[in-house]
Structure formats: C-alpha cells, structure tokens
Amino acid sequence: MLGRRGTLPFLVGPPLAWLVGLFVVPLFVIVLFSLRPESGIVPPGSAWNPSLIQYGKVLDTPAFLRLLGTSALVAFIVAGAATLLAYPVAYFLAFRAGERATLYLTLLLVPFAVSYLLRIMTWKLMLGPAGVINSLLSGAGMIGEPLDLLLYSRPAVVITLVYVWIPFAALPVLAGLQRIQRSQLEAAADLGAGPWARFWRVTVPLSVPGAVAAFFMVFIPTVGEYVTPTLIGGTGGIMYGNLIQGFFGSAGNWPLGAALAMIMLVLTVVLVATAARIVNVRRLLS
Amino acid sequence: MPVHFVRRAFVVLASAMLVLAACTAVSPSESATESESASESAAVSVAPEPQEILVLEWGGYDDPAFFADFAAASPEVPVSFEFGLSDADILGKMEAGSQADVFHFYSGWQQFYVDQGLVQEIDTSQLTNWDKVPDSFKAQGQVNGIQYFLPWDWGFSSILYNTEEVPEVTSWDVLLDPAYAGHISMWNDGPAAVTVSAYVHGYDETAITDQQLADIEAEWIAQKPLNAFYWSSEYDDLCPGVMDQTVWIAYAWQGCYATALYEGTPVAYANPSEGRNSWIGFYGISADTDSYQLALQFLDDKLADLTMSNVVNLFYYGAANQDVMDAIEDPVLIEAFGVDDPAILESTNFTPPVTDAQRTAWTEMWARVAAE
C-alpha cells in the first residue's frame, strides 16, 4: 500500500501539471510579451530586448489608470451586491429548505445550464427601449419616454453582472452556513438569545468566511470583465478588460495588451491581499 | 529520484518551448530559405500535394455557400478553417506560422504580406474566372506590379441614417453632431475614426501629423457620449440597433443597409460630399503552402458565379465577379451597391495602405478615447 509520500504525486501531480502548463507558463509568456519594446505586430525574428516601455506607456496614460480604478470600483459594487443578495438565498437553503434543499439548489444552478452569452443577450431585451422594464413603466404611466439609462450604460453592466453572479456567490456562502454546528445555535438559545440575536451574534459571524470567499470569487473576475460591457455597456460602460481585449484582438498589439493585463493582475492581487489582511482571513478560517 | 528528474525536465522543456515562442520567431529570410529547400527537395521527390485546404478566414465566411463551387467540383477535398478577429490578427497569425494555405484580409494590408515574404504570386493564367474581375480590382491586388492577391468581396463604408429622424446626410461630420446624442453608433476601430476625421478636415490620411492625431483624439473623446454604443459586429451589434431604431446615425457597411431595407426600416445610405470609403477583400496564397495548385483551384472557384452570387445575396457584399454584379435585379441590392451608378466607385476613397507605426498610433489613440 502506498504511503502519504507515495500517493501525493498521483493526487497532486495531474492538477499541478495542468495548472503549471495552462496557467503559470502562459502567464509567464504574457509577462515576456509585456516586456517587449515593440508596439503593434511583433515582426518575426525580433531581437529580445526586454524593456519597460509598455508599462511606461500605460502608467503615462491617465485615462487607462482611471478606467482601471473605475473597473475595480464596479467590481467592488458588483461583488458586494451579489454577496448580499446571495446571502438570504444561501440562508434559506441551509436552514429553511429542509428536505427540498437539493431541489432548490438545483433550481438555483439552472441558469448555469444556459449559455452565458444568451443570458446577457436576454438582458438586452429586458433593458432595451422597448424592453420589459420600459414597457412596464410606460404601461403604468410612470414614464413618458423610455429610460435610456437602462441599456448601454454602466448601471446596466452592474445590474446584469450582479444577476449573473448571485448563484455563483450563493455557493460559498451556503458552504459556510452549512458548517455552522446546530449545537452552537441551541446553546445560544439556551442562554436566552432570541432569533435575531442568534442570527446576528452567531450565524453571521460564523458565516463570514463563506461570504468573504464569495466576495472575492466575484470581485476578482469582475475587474477584468469585458463580455458584458461589450454587449450592454455602450460607450459609457466600457471597462478595463475591454482595453485588454482590444489590444489582443482587433488592434493586434500584444505587448501593450500584456502590460495592461499585468498591471491589472498586480492591482487585483494587492487589493485582495490588503482586504484579506483587513478582515484577517486567517483568523476567520481558524 | 528519476521520476522527479523526468517531471522536472518535462516542465522545464515545455516552459522553454513556450518562452522561445514568445521571444523569437522564424525570420522571413530563414523561412524563405527553408521554403526554398523544401521546394527543391519536393521537386526532386515530386511529392504529391496534400488534398486538403486550410483557410485563414473571418467568422461567417466558413459557410459552405461561400465555397459552393469548389465543394461541388472537388467534394473529396476537405476544407477547414482557422479564424482571425481582425486584419491585424490575421497578419499576426500568418507571421506566427499559420499553416493556412490561403488567407483572407482587407484593403490596406497588402504590403505587409509582401514585405514579410508571407505570400506568393498568383498564376492568373490558370484561373478560368479571372477575366470576370474588373481591371480596377485586379490592380488593387498587385504590389510592385505582381499579382499577389485575388480580389473577392468589396463594399462601402458610409453613413447609414434613419430618414424619419435625420434629414438628408451630406457629410461625415454628422457622426460628430451633438443634436443626435444617444442615437449615433461608430465602428469600434481607431483607423476608421482617423479616416472619418481626415475626410471631415481634409487631412491626408496617409500622413497624419502628431498634432492632427491629437486633435482627432480630442474630437472623438468629445464624440464618445453621443454614441449609444460602439459596434464591433455589423450583423450582431449594429443591425439590431438600426432596426429597433435605437441607432439613427451609424458608420456602416452596405450589408447592414441592405438588411435594414429588407426589414422595412426607413433608412438611407449617404453619399457624403467627402466621398464614401471603399474596401476590397483579398485572398492570398501562403508562401509556405504545400498545396499551391489546390489553392489556385480553390481561389478560382471562389470567383465562380454561384459562390459570388451567394456573397451578394446572402451577405449583401459586392462581388469581384462583374458578371454577377451585372446580373443583380433586386432593387434593394441595386440601391445598396449603387449598381445603377457606374461611376460610384470612382467617387469613393479606397482605403490606402498605411504603415504599422501609423496603425499602432491610431489604435492606441482609439484605446485612449474608449478609456475616457
């Protein structure tokens, strides 16, 4: 029988190889591209003369940095809203759904069975000038003209992203809530705590690790989001990810796109590390 | 111990290969030498050409309707596709060593392929449909007097506008008009923005100065809030916006114009005083292909009547086959292509070739506009 040392390579090896081959190495390649001094299409046979020119170009462009800040703020709002809205859903599944929890959890995950693009396009129908929301407001006599704010705007991006992430955010919150020992709630009740006191002083503190995990799981990918802003953001809803996508795609300028991507990565890591330090994740997890 | 060594060696080797790919690429001269050596050895052994064709193409052009004649004539030859997102992306893929036998790109990029040795001359004497191509189109596919490229599809860029909301448009500057705030849609493309500004202000598009570019940037930053959205895909983004009348004024190709006309949307396609912009799509045969004869056959069949008719009738793009253009009877298509105006192409501005440095400056300018 294999011991711990013997089984470790078989358990860790495949995912590690996958991660190294398809994440670490490509990331390293992106770093190398970001250090290329050429702009635009890199001519074949170009000498390797590493330079920080691309980084300088990004840092010297206030509009790029402002958009990065705006994108981080949007990600913060989306992650916060999605986590808050997911919490009651997860609470219901953990403590109130009973035997039907599996059914409700399946229903919660049904949207994942539908193409992401299709779900986003559906929001165009919801938010458009002749869409469901404008029609309802107009039908109720609340507005005379369709609200332009609903589509092709940053609020439209935030609304749609929150919708997209709620089921995703509910999962880590649910996992956190399910870890709470019922005996702890019973002990609180025995000590005279009412339902609200039990919730605020026992359930919420013990579920914070799950909520923090949900927040970061939404925040990190949202900073670089570009599909939703492309489809429903309009010119006012453009995010930093759109710049990166543009340089890697239509502009064909990988070095500058790579520098933009690396700066975003560094900022995201710094923000997450700072936030983790502030909320003291290690203590929460222990 | 040996297991660790093998694993470590594998990771190091794989990493090194990818790093090398990022740091270096085969130079054109090396590539040409290898290609020549390959040709020599092929000549000696007279190896048969592979009977399959790989096309570096734009999404949507892989529809069998767009190679219908070839599929009918050579049903045993599989046609497969690799896709590019933009002209820059397609050139980048060719530079990176794409295995494509033929590639498809648009006006303004011819010189890059020739300069970098990525394309070879087309032996037009073997093309049975070549005589159907107007001389003016043939000339656009020549570099240094050599026919490197086969013109295939063409069209206009101009201003598409809603006739119920906007009076007759006579200038490109309507795209900058604050009176239509929230109902304009510009193509998400830096070089196109520079072209429009060059038309409006009378700049020489091939010699934009730094000051002019700064002015253009300021102009488009001011224009940005006027847009409902920048469009990236003609049929996925722009046309729905035009047809649901969110968009009243748009930088557009004639394909969207025809689509909107068919749908009954009240639209017109401007003939601005500065002239429309015109563009041509070309096919080139890769310098490294092992299937030159098959590629020639493929391109010849791309020019054949059925395939070219499909381009006109399904995509609403112009065809380089003049017989097909002359046979158009549909009033919507006659209007879209200006078929009843034989001089229309002469009054338009063909996209000129510009340098890589210019394109880079223009795309970076556009990114700054988008970020504001």
Side-chain angles (χ1 to χ4, degrees):
Chain A
M1 195 165 187
L2 289 171
R4 184 170 174 270
R5 283 195 165 190
T7 54
L8 197 62
F10 294 102
L11 293 174
V12 178
L16 187 65
W18 190 269
L19 194 68
V20 169
L22 299 177
F23 175 69
V24 177
V25 172
L27 189 64
F28 188 51
V29 171
I30 293 293
V31 172
L32 293 177
F33 265 109
S34 75
L35 294 173
R36 276 193 169 276
E38 307 93 336
S39 289
I41 296 158
V42 179
S46 298
W48 173 242
N49 297 312
S51 153
L52 294 174
I53 285 176
Q54 307 299 342
Y55 289 94
K57 207 179 271 186
V58 176
L59 297 175
D60 284 345
T61 308
F64 289 170
L65 301 179
R66 279 198 298 273
L67 190 61
L68 179 56
T70 304
S71 299
L73 180 63
V74 166
F76 184 85
I77 294 168
V78 168
T83 306
L84 282 176
L85 292 170
Y87 196 95
V89 177
Y91 184 89
F92 174 79
L93 288 171
F95 296 115
R96 295 285 183 268
E99 291 179 352
R100 293 190 172 179
T102 307
L103 172 66
Y104 293 141
L105 182 61
T106 306
L107 290 175
L108 180 72
L109 299 177
V110 161
F112 288 126
V114 180
S115 156
Y116 180 80
L117 278 178
L118 200 61
R119 282 185 283 150
I120 303 301
M121 295 302 279
T122 308
W123 273 94
K124 285 184 90 165
L125 298 177
M126 293 285 288
L127 301 172
V132 175
I133 294 175
N134 265 318
S135 299
L136 279 175
L137 294 174
S138 179
M142 296 172 70
I143 55 172
E145 291 288 316
L147 295 175
D148 289 339
L149 178 72
L150 290 179
L151 189 58
Y152 304 129
S153 66
R154 187 150 285 136
V157 174
V158 170
I159 290 169
T160 307
L161 285 174
V162 169
Y163 151 77
V164 166
W165 287 120
I166 284 176
F168 196 71
L171 297 179
V173 178
L174 175 62
L177 290 168
Q178 284 177 330
R179 283 215 311 249
I180 296 174
Q181 302 285 336
R182 298 298 170 115
S183 57
Q184 291 175 301
L185 296 170
E186 289 164 6
D190 290 345
L191 291 170
W196 276 106
R198 288 201 298 274
F199 176 72
W200 285 112
R201 302 187 66 178
V202 179
T203 306
V204 169
L206 290 174
S207 65
V208 165
V212 169
F215 180 89
F216 287 138
M217 284 171 70
V218 175
F219 177 83
I220 293 168
T222 303
V223 176
E225 171 69 28
Y226 74 92
V227 175
T228 306
T230 299
L231 293 174
I232 62 169
T235 48
I238 289 171
M239 289 177 65
Y240 190 80
N242 294 99
L243 296 183
I244 298 173
Q245 189 265 341
F247 280 116
F248 274 96
S250 57
N253 188 344
W254 283 37
L256 187 52
L260 283 162
M262 292 313 302
I263 287 172
M264 184 184 76
L265 177 67
V266 169
L267 176 85
T268 306
V269 169
V270 167
L271 285 176
V272 170
T274 306
R277 196 177 178 85
I278 291 170
V279 299
N280 202 344
V281 169
R282 188 175 296 175
R283 187 180 62 80
L284 287 173
L285 293 175
S286 65
Chain B
M1 190 71 171
V3 174
H4 287 178
F5 173 77
V6 168
R7 191 186 306 133
R8 201 172 300 160
F10 172 77
V11 170
V12 169
L13 192 63
S15 307
M17 286 170 69
L18 277 159
V19 168
L20 274 172
C23 294
T24 63
V26 180
S27 71
S29 56
E30 287 168 346
S31 175
T33 310
E34 286 171 10
S35 181
E36 283 162 18
S37 316
S39 302
E40 284 166 16
S41 58
V44 171
S45 61
V46 199
E49 282 193 355
Q51 287 301 298
E52 58 186 333
I53 198 111
L54 174 63
V55 187
L56 177 52
E57 194 46 285
W58 301 71
Y61 285 90
D62 54 325
D63 189 313
F66 299 138
F67 56 96
D69 291 278
F70 182 78
S74 310
E76 75 287 359
V77 178
V79 179
S80 50
F81 293 89
E82 180 185 355
F83 295 103
L85 294 170
S86 65
D87 280 310
D89 190 36
I90 287 171
L91 176 59
K93 282 185 163 68
M94 289 301 294
E95 287 178 334
S98 166
Q99 298 300 301
D101 300 295
V102 299
F103 54 96
H104 187 193
F105 68 99
Y106 285 87
S107 308
W109 295 76
Q110 297 94 310
Q111 192 74 46
F112 295 122
Y113 290 98
V114 176
D115 288 348
Q116 296 182 28
L118 299 170
V119 65
Q120 57 183 303
E121 182 177 2
I122 294 174
D123 182 359
T124 56
S125 67
Q126 296 191 50
L127 304 180
T128 59
N129 292 300
W130 188 239
D131 290 343
K132 298 173 182 175
V133 179
D135 288 342
S136 58
F137 281 8
K138 291 175 182 172
Q140 294 281 333
Q142 295 172 2
V143 175
N144 305 328
I146 297 172
Q147 194 74 47
Y148 284 107
F149 305 106
L150 178 133
W152 189 67
D153 55 334
W154 64 270
F156 300 117
S157 301
S158 187
I159 305 123
L160 177 62
Y161 63 99
N162 186 308
T163 52
E164 289 183 353
E165 305 289 351
V166 184
E168 184 181 3
V169 169
T170 57
S171 170
W172 285 91
D173 66 8
V174 73
L175 287 167
L176 310 166
D177 191 341
Y180 302 108
H183 296 288
I184 296 174
S185 187
M186 177 62 191
W187 183 22
N188 188 11
D189 185 77
V194 171
T195 298
V196 171
S197 289
Y199 291 166
V200 170
H201 300 295
Y203 299 154
D204 177 355
E205 194 181 343
T206 60
I208 298 289
T209 65
D210 290 347
Q211 183 55 52
Q212 286 172 341
L213 191 60
D215 293 343
I216 290 170
E217 181 174 338
E219 186 166 58
W220 287 99
I221 286 173
Q223 190 270 355
K224 188 182 168 191
L226 308 182
N227 293 275
F229 54 88
Y230 293 140
W231 64 268
S232 296
S233 165
E234 182 182 20
Y235 291 108
D236 294 338
D237 305 339
L238 177 60
C239 287
V242 169
M243 291 188 290
D244 71 18
Q245 306 201 31
T246 303
V247 174
W248 297 347
I249 297 169
Y251 178 107
W253 303 322
Q254 82 290 332
C256 185
Y257 174 44
T259 304
L261 283 178
Y262 280 125
E263 291 295 320
T265 312
V267 290
Y269 199 53
N271 278 309
S273 57
E274 304 91 346
R276 291 181 182 177
N277 171 262
S278 304
W279 42 265
I280 297 177
F282 298 100
Y283 279 99
I285 300 179
S286 169
D288 294 331
T289 183
D290 294 327
S291 309
Y292 182 78
Q293 288 300 326
L294 193 60
L296 268 185
Q297 182 62 50
F298 181 76
L299 295 189
D300 193 25
D301 288 340
K302 289 284 278 187
L303 284 175
D305 292 355
L306 175 59
T307 301
M308 291 263 71
S309 298
N310 289 338
V311 173
V312 171
N313 295 315
L314 301 179
F315 246 31
Y316 315 137
Y317 282 8
N321 180 328
Q322 193 58 41
D323 290 355
V324 169
M325 296 305 292
D326 291 342
I328 293 176
E329 293 179 350
D330 185 329
V332 167
L333 294 178
I334 287 174
E335 169 63 22
F337 296 118
V339 174
D340 50 357
D341 180 0
I344 194 159
L345 275 175
E346 290 161 22
S347 62
T348 64
N349 310 289
F350 273 96
T351 304
V354 292
T355 65
D356 189 32
Q358 286 171 313
R359 283 191 188 283
T360 300
W362 299 356
T363 53
E364 289 180 5
M365 177 278 293
W366 190 246
R368 291 192 295 273
V369 171
E372 282 291 351

